Amino acid sequence: MNGLQIPLEHVLIIASFMFSFGLLGLMLRRNIIFMLMSLEVMLNAAALAFVAAGAKWAQADGQIIFLLILSVAAAEVAVGLGLVLQIQRRFKTLDMDTAKRMRG
């Protein structure tokens, strides 16, 4: 079974692509739901990197950090959805640029 392992470099490349796509989505999209989804992709990329590094060095630290990231992501979803509902009620839009202009 040892010959079927995926090299750490390949996993880190995938994690860096995921993080880059999430960052690109966060910077380019102005819809708050897409921004939250991009943030989730970035958190998953970080979690993938930690799990891969933990598996490479046979340490449980990667899985522990994954659980921490998982709990942060769950809290982010709960708070984010509450904010989405409040922004939608107050400004009648989910576009952050429009909500920022209507703030006054």
Side-chain angles (χ1 to χ4, degrees):
M1 282 306 233
N2 201 8
L4 298 176
Q5 286 184 339
I6 299 172
L8 177 64
E9 294 81 18
H10 294 181
V11 177
L12 292 179
I13 288 170
I14 291 171
S16 65
F17 278 133
M18 284 175 61
F19 192 86
S20 299
F21 288 141
L23 185 62
L24 189 66
L26 190 64
M27 291 189 307
L28 294 180
R29 301 297 289 223
R30 300 312 306 164
N31 188 321
I32 192 164
I33 293 178
F34 284 109
M35 291 172 74
L36 290 173
M37 287 172 43
S38 296
L39 197 58
E40 286 290 326
V41 170
M42 291 170 64
L43 285 171
N44 285 331
L48 177 64
F50 277 114
V51 168
K56 169 74 175 174
W57 289 293
Q59 297 290 322
D61 298 345
Q63 286 81 5
I64 293 170
I65 297 298
F66 172 75
L67 290 175
L68 176 69
I69 290 173
L70 195 65
S71 63
V72 167
E76 180 251 334
V77 166
V79 171
L81 286 177
L83 287 173
V84 165
L85 290 174
Q86 289 299 320
I87 289 171
Q88 176 63 32
R89 275 192 204 141
R90 178 172 286 170
F91 300 117
K92 305 294 188 241
T93 184
L94 291 179
D95 185 33
M96 289 306 294
D97 290 334
T98 306
K100 200 183 311 181
R101 280 192 297 258
M102 298 173 72
R103 186 176 57 160

